[in-house]
Amino acid sequence: YLVRSLIPRGLRAWVARTGSRPGQVLCAALSGPTTIWALILAVHLAIQSAPLPLIVTEKYAPKILIALWILSFTLMAMRAAGDLVRAYGSQIPGALPVTTLTTTLAQLTALVLGLLLLLSAEDVHVTPILTALGVGGLAVALALQDTLSNLFAGFYIAVAGQMRLNDYIKLASGEEGYVSDIGWRSTAIRSLGNNLIVVPNSKLAQTIVTNYHLPQQRMSSSLQVNVPYDADPDQVEGLLVEIATAGANDIPGLLAEPAPSATLDPGFGEFALGFTLNYQ
């Protein structure tokens, strides 16, 4: 009860005073394991002071307790790894974008390290297990071919950086929207209608994608203006450029650089002169 009350309460007070984000992650990760660790310590002390056979106090009990401790520590590390990736992943230059896939990979890394530590503590030889996994891995890979193709395609999409979170993309099949998440199986795209489009990673890696945020977010557009035949073409071009340049200060998204331009295009029509105003 003391461990459960004092340690988390002291951590929460320190986090509230300093505003430390690692402290917040640690406080959240320690919310559960502290009780388990206190119980493990209590059981250990009780077993050592109890009149039990030596095979229990020196062989079975320590192995069971150390296994429970490693498992609880591994679960805490998995939670902390996921929270740290979400908190700091976007701030590290060159790091993978913070998606469901990256947080899952961080948690799987912590899980694998914890399992290896558990096997080492229990005096289990890892080499025969790895050999068996290598033999059985071929059958698993064949059975989970679609799942693995989506997994590796999602990893490639995240590493390549050609589609990032919040990028506006359009697929060759017509679907378009903002990339909201890249998971281990599929990528979620939020359409302009606020609907969620779920595309398998393997399909997304094979299709033609137009990314409107790369290499730069700006894009060119044009507007056609028709004027009477008796208008002065040079004066019309100057007025169009002047109005577009002045509008860059008031119209959201309209850029003053590169400067707008106007051309006599498509030119002479049936009833009017056609001008095209080009802008970014």
Side-chain angles (χ1 to χ4, degrees):
Y1 176 79
L2 288 176
V3 170
R4 178 68 174 160
S5 301
L6 296 179
I7 295 180
R9 185 178 301 174
L11 277 176
R12 284 194 294 268
W14 175 72
V15 169
R17 185 173 64 255
T18 61
S20 172
R21 296 184 69 179
Q24 296 176 0
V25 173
L26 181 61
C27 187
L30 286 175
S31 59
T34 50
T35 303
I36 300 175
W37 295 344
L39 290 174
I40 291 175
L41 179 60
V43 172
H44 171 71
L45 295 177
I47 290 176
Q48 294 301 320
S49 61
L52 296 175
L54 291 178
I55 192 173
V56 175
T57 58
E58 295 184 1
K59 184 177 181 181
Y60 294 113
K63 288 188 175 183
I64 295 175
L65 292 179
I66 195 66
L68 291 176
W69 183 84
I70 293 176
L71 288 175
S72 63
F73 186 82
T74 301
L75 294 177
M76 184 203 74
M78 290 176 61
R79 180 174 180 179
D83 292 341
L84 286 173
V85 169
R86 284 186 287 268
Y88 290 101
S90 59
Q91 302 177 7
I92 301 176
L96 295 179
V98 181
T99 61
T100 303
L101 178 62
T102 53
T103 54
T104 303
L105 289 176
Q107 292 174 339
L108 284 177
T109 301
L111 176 62
V112 170
L113 293 177
L115 291 178
L116 291 177
L117 182 62
L118 176 62
L119 294 176
S120 176
E122 298 297 328
D123 296 329
V124 177
H125 297 288
V126 182
T127 304
I129 298 178
L130 294 179
T131 304
L133 290 177
V135 174
L138 180 60
V140 174
L142 292 175
L144 301 177
Q145 185 175 2
D146 293 338
T147 302
L148 292 176
S149 64
N150 285 322
L151 175 62
F152 287 109
F155 185 73
Y156 166 75
I157 292 172
V159 170
Q162 297 174 347
M163 280 179 283
R164 307 164 302 182
L165 291 183
N166 300 319
D167 281 359
Y168 191 87
I169 64 173
K170 183 177 181 180
L171 307 183
S173 55
E175 295 86 357
E176 57 183 299
Y178 293 94
V179 178
S180 60
D181 189 25
I182 301 174
W184 61 272
R185 179 189 176 277
S186 59
T187 297
I189 302 174
R190 178 173 52 85
S191 66
L192 293 180
N194 207 27
N195 299 316
L196 200 63
I197 304 172
V198 180
V199 184
N201 291 330
S202 59
K203 301 294 184 182
L204 188 61
Q206 296 174 2
T207 190
I208 299 175
V209 180
T210 302
N211 192 332
Y212 291 96
H213 277 65
L214 291 177
Q216 294 179 339
Q217 190 172 351
R218 75 165 191 249
M219 58 182 295
S220 60
S221 186
S222 62
L223 177 67
Q224 187 171 342
V225 179
N226 296 323
V227 299
Y229 273 114
D230 56 356
D232 185 358
D234 295 333
Q235 185 179 10
V236 172
E237 290 182 0
L239 284 173
L240 290 176
V241 172
E242 180 182 351
I243 292 172
T245 303
N249 299 323
D250 302 325
I251 302 175
L254 184 60
L255 302 180
E257 286 293 335
S261 62
T263 58
L264 183 59
D265 183 36
F268 295 91
E270 294 184 5
F271 305 101
L273 285 176
F275 288 83
T276 300
L277 176 64
N278 302 297
Y279 53 91
Q280 298 282 326

